[in-house]
Amino acid sequence: MACQDLPQPELYPEIEPYNTGFLKVSDLHTVYYEQSGNSSGNPVLFVHGGPGGASTPFDRRYFDPHSYRIVLMDQRGCGKSTPTAELKENTTWTLIEDIESVRNHLGIEKWVVFGGSWGSTLSLAYAEEYPERVKGLILRGIYANTWKESIWLFQEGASVLFPDRFDDFIAPIPEVERGDLLSAYHRRLTGSDEKVKLECARAWSRWEMSIVKLIADDDMTSLVEDDQFCATFAAMECHYGVYGGWFKSPNHILDKVDKIRHIPGIIIQGRYDMVCPFQTAWELHKKWPEADFHIVADAGHSAKEIGIAGRLIAAANKFRNI
């Protein structure tokens, strides 16, 4: 376990993909994928957050483009994948199979899997289902999709530290329904009133983006100005929250860690993460002591915070030749 300050490596330069495509994974869903860096390099999959986020050009910059074959993909209903914001046939288990479909489509035998926030959940779940396909795991802002974590973020927990911002979050919900905010939001985000749906999507997204960094800045809060982002992000995240990710048991991710303990791993966690609080990362560390565990003392949740970004780049550098 390490928490001391170290010189931080810089992000790699911006690059463009050498290959992009769309893979039909069901009668309904088609997922976007891209490849950049070295086509003969060490394969790495970047798993984006959310649920309801998307991959971005920035995500390529954690990886040495001379060493890595960098694969990005947008999960069902997200980013460039179609249909946008579609909740049907959209569960953790279908996303896991989509990752496998992309791996098979690209002819990759094994890859490094890199994910943060919800991306850490999906990365862990994928590795637990297909450990033979994962040569290394780099995880940030650990989230196990438990009810305890949902209560912290969307009912009572982070609200105690940010009551002013939480008041804006609960504003669209009548007081009589505030005892179960997840369900109240889910009814509206999946309802037929488009005006109410957008109001709730903005409030949901504004709440999370306002606490994602230790010090809030315009980089994250500006996302709330994008109505399509808000609509997808809020509906998808709320839907997965209400249904507990469709996991087979309340603590599924942590209960299955023994299946991946032989895989080289690096866990990176901001000490003051308000979105995915430190406790889950600590529980994962205790169950998986073989993995490197790094606490970033002056960071929250975002992968773009300096201390976290530096650790992520260093982790990717360490696994270049794994």
Side-chain angles (χ1 to χ4, degrees):
M1 181 174 68
C3 59
Q4 71 270 27
D5 293 329
L6 295 172
Q8 301 294 342
E10 295 183 357
L11 290 161
Y12 286 97
E14 295 180 4
I15 54 173
E16 294 298 317
Y18 65 78
N19 168 249
T20 64
F22 292 88
L23 183 64
K24 194 165 183 61
V25 291
S26 77
D27 290 341
L28 177 60
H29 287 278
T30 299
V31 298
Y32 168 80
Y33 68 87
E34 66 169 56
Q35 300 185 84
S36 58
N38 180 354
S39 60
S40 300
N42 186 19
V44 60
L45 173 68
F46 181 94
V47 183
H48 70 70
S55 61
T56 71
F58 187 91
D59 302 328
R60 306 170 193 141
R61 300 185 63 192
Y62 296 107
F63 311 103
D64 178 355
H66 299 292
S67 300
Y68 275 111
R69 177 183 177 184
I70 306 161
V71 181
L72 273 58
M73 65 179 288
D74 288 338
Q75 294 156 31
R76 293 189 181 203
C78 300
K80 297 177 183 176
S81 295
T82 59
T84 301
E86 179 57 67
L87 301 179
K88 295 176 183 175
E89 299 177 20
N90 198 325
T91 71
T92 303
W93 306 108
T94 58
L95 300 189
I96 288 171
E97 294 309 313
D98 292 349
I99 291 174
E100 264 300 272
S101 295
V102 169
R103 184 193 63 76
N104 278 309
H105 180 70
L106 298 179
I108 293 170
E109 182 180 354
K110 298 179 72 171
W111 48 9
V112 176
V113 178
F114 178 114
S117 191
W118 161 252
S120 75
T121 320
L122 189 54
S123 297
L124 284 162
Y126 170 74
E128 289 171 358
E129 288 297 303
Y130 293 100
E132 72 279 6
R133 298 304 180 187
V134 179
K135 61 169 68 177
L137 281 163
I138 299 172
L139 306 169
R140 183 269 311 169
I142 307 303
Y143 179 64
N145 209 127
T146 63
W147 188 242
K148 178 174 63 176
E149 292 163 303
S150 293
I151 292 295
W152 163 269
L153 184 55
F154 298 118
Q155 193 67 46
E156 186 174 12
S159 60
V160 176
L161 295 168
F162 298 96
D164 48 345
R165 299 172 192 173
F166 196 74
D167 276 355
D168 293 335
F169 174 63
I170 65 176
I173 307 301
E175 190 167 351
V176 69
E177 295 183 61
R178 291 178 185 173
D180 183 356
L181 288 166
L182 262 180
S183 296
Y185 260 99
H186 190 254
R187 286 191 290 274
R188 289 160 176 79
L189 291 169
T190 58
S192 58
D193 189 323
E194 295 300 323
K195 182 178 179 181
V196 169
K197 191 182 294 186
L198 182 57
E199 177 191 17
C200 287
R202 287 171 174 165
W204 179 285
S205 303
R206 185 180 300 109
W207 161 241
E208 190 161 335
M209 293 306 115
S210 73
I211 64 170
V212 78
K213 289 186 174 182
L214 182 59
I215 306 296
D217 62 28
D218 293 339
D219 181 51
M220 301 306 297
T221 53
S222 63
L223 288 171
V224 182
E225 305 304 316
D226 183 339
D227 287 347
Q228 185 56 65
F229 167 82
C230 290
T232 302
F233 179 73
M236 202 81 71
E237 188 171 62
C238 185
H239 193 60
Y240 271 72
V242 164
Y243 289 102
W246 295 269
F247 283 109
K248 298 172 183 177
S249 65
N251 209 32
H252 180 94
I253 293 288
L254 295 175
D255 287 344
K256 301 292 184 181
V257 169
D258 280 351
K259 297 178 71 173
I260 63 168
R261 285 181 60 183
H262 64 286
I263 298 173
I266 301 174
I267 303 165
I268 297 160
Q269 181 72 29
R271 169 67 77 178
Y272 299 104
D273 190 332
M274 293 293 109
V275 178
C276 299
F278 184 90
Q279 184 178 24
T280 304
W282 184 247
E283 290 174 358
L284 177 62
H285 164 62
K286 289 192 292 183
K287 287 179 174 286
W288 189 16
E290 296 85 359
D292 294 350
F293 184 53
H294 299 286
I295 304 165
V296 183
D298 58 351
H301 180 69
S302 174
K304 293 183 178 180
E305 291 178 271
I306 293 173
I308 292 180
R311 284 289 185 185
L312 289 171
I313 297 163
N317 287 346
K318 181 176 181 177
F319 281 180
R320 272 184 290 211
N321 300 310
I322 197 170

